[in-house]
Amino acid sequence: VSGNVSICNSIKCEFGCKPSSSGPLCYCDKGWQPNGTRCVDFDDCLIDGSCDQHCTNTVGSYSCSCSEGYKASGHSCFAVNVPESEPPTIVFSSTVDIRRLFLNGSSYPGNSSVTPLHTQALEFDHRNQTLCYIHQNESVKATLSCSHIDDLSNAWDLPSPAMFPLDSMTHIALDWISSNWYFLDDNREMVFLCNSTLASCVILIDVNLSKPRGIALDPTKGLMFFTKWGASTPMLERALLDGTNRTSLVNRKIVYPYGVTVDFPTQHVYWVDTYLDFVERVDYDGRHRRTIKKGFP
């Protein structure tokens, strides 16, 4: 013991010292890191998960804050329900229907399902409280149908676009600021843009888009994110909402990227790799890649 004390006395650490096989090592209090014998501030915000949303480093510590529409509780952020008395719900599609559930898995009361229906293309318009989806029907051509979120039996069809049929549209996305619709066509390998009434449409992307498999938008930043996995290198891409300035965000250790979604407050993009069995994320610049979940049963 006296030898250990003697070793540590020889370097005079600012906070504390511990002996090791390579000699004395200095250590510091929480929120600080050693720099030689001194302790300097450590940026706690570099640790993933320090805060749910926004992190501000301070000397020896850090503070958390939340975006508008969320309330803070310690390091966590919880969405403010509108109306506040209404609990959060989830809407999803399966091979047979679309359903709305509470987060504990119980059914939402009333007409909370659309069946029989199989679609991967669905979008929620929060301003109009409507759920829209591509309705594939064997007897008639596919339509873009919408239902009121509190009564999914109250449905109506939007006019079909003249430029293209909807039968091969695998995913849709809504820019709620402009009310423009984005359609991902897996067969034709294109991204289409239509106005709110679907009366006017254009082709946004039709090159180097082999097997597009997912699309998500952040209208507040004017960005779209999409994945592909066909003849070209599988990747997650970013582009402006007009289809220009395409940028590869992820093109390594990615095989079958699918299920793209966006976390607006933290500006992160999430996707599922159905080959690697990973849920991963990156920020809007393709940095700080994290594996959120791996290995599904």
Side-chain angles (χ1 to χ4, degrees):
V1 176
S2 60
N4 291 339
V5 173
S6 177
I7 291 174
C8 284
N9 286 340
S10 66
I11 63 170
K12 297 181 179 179
C13 297
E14 182 177 341
F15 182 80
C17 173
K18 59 182 178 181
S20 72
S21 58
S22 59
L25 293 177
C26 294
Y27 64 92
C28 299
D29 199 6
K30 183 179 179 181
W32 302 81
Q33 61 184 348
N35 182 6
T37 60
R38 297 180 57 249
C39 289
V40 296
D41 178 50
F42 171 72
D43 188 349
D44 299 90
C45 295
L46 296 176
I47 301 176
D48 190 44
S50 293
C51 299
D52 270 1
Q53 292 184 355
H54 309 301
C55 181
T56 302
N57 186 59
T58 58
V59 178
S61 187
Y62 65 100
S63 61
C64 297
S65 59
C66 303
S67 296
E68 184 179 357
Y70 294 82
K71 56 184 178 182
S73 177
H75 299 169
S76 301
C77 295
F78 297 92
V80 177
N81 295 331
V82 180
E84 192 168 348
S85 59
E86 181 177 324
T89 56
I90 183 172
V91 177
F92 70 94
S93 65
S94 69
T95 56
V96 295
D97 62 7
I98 296 174
R99 277 184 281 169
R100 184 185 186 190
L101 304 175
F102 291 112
L103 297 189
N104 64 4
S106 61
S107 296
Y108 191 82
N111 297 312
S112 59
S113 67
V114 182
T115 184
L117 178 67
H118 173 49
T119 185
Q120 296 174 332
L122 69 162
E123 176 68 286
F124 178 60
D125 182 356
H126 67 277
R127 284 185 170 176
N128 296 322
Q129 292 292 293
T130 55
L131 177 72
C132 297
Y133 47 90
I134 300 291
H135 191 172
Q136 305 282 357
N137 194 313
E138 294 181 359
S139 59
V140 296
K141 64 181 181 180
T143 59
L144 179 58
S145 302
C146 295
S147 301
H148 193 277
I149 191 63
D150 290 328
D151 181 7
L152 295 183
S153 66
N154 179 13
W156 62 93
D157 295 338
L158 275 66
S160 296
M163 186 178 188
F164 55 86
L166 294 168
D167 57 350
S168 63
M169 300 300 160
T170 52
H171 292 83
I172 58 176
L174 175 66
D175 174 356
W176 67 80
I177 294 178
S178 66
S179 296
N180 288 334
W181 286 99
Y182 289 73
F183 296 88
L184 191 65
D185 190 326
D186 185 13
N187 289 345
R188 300 174 185 84
E189 299 181 338
M190 294 179 178
V191 176
F192 295 90
L193 166 66
C194 298
N195 66 354
S196 59
T197 62
L198 308 186
S200 178
C201 302
V202 295
I203 298 173
L204 282 191
I205 301 175
D206 62 351
V207 297
N208 193 21
L209 194 65
S210 180
K211 291 296 178 185
R213 301 303 294 170
I215 187 170
L217 310 179
D218 184 347
T220 65
K221 302 298 180 183
L223 297 173
M224 76 166 78
F225 305 90
F226 53 92
T227 58
K228 59 184 184 181
W229 69 26
S232 58
T233 302
M235 68 177 63
L236 169 69
E237 285 194 53
R238 184 194 70 207
L240 298 180
L241 289 180
D242 62 2
T244 62
N245 289 5
R246 289 174 63 177
T247 302
S248 172
L249 297 185
V250 178
N251 56 26
R252 298 178 62 227
K253 200 177 180 183
I254 183 170
V255 185
Y256 294 159
Y258 205 75
V260 184
T261 192
V262 174
D263 181 355
F264 306 112
T266 63
Q267 297 184 31
H268 283 132
V269 190
Y270 290 75
W271 73 96
V272 176
D273 195 308
T274 58
Y275 180 85
L276 298 175
D277 282 347
F278 282 1
V279 176
E280 297 198 274
R281 80 166 193 226
V282 292
D283 65 19
Y284 282 8
D285 294 318
R287 301 173 302 178
H288 308 301
R289 183 175 181 175
R290 297 285 187 275
T291 298
I292 306 302
K293 179 78 173 179
K294 66 173 75 173
F296 296 91

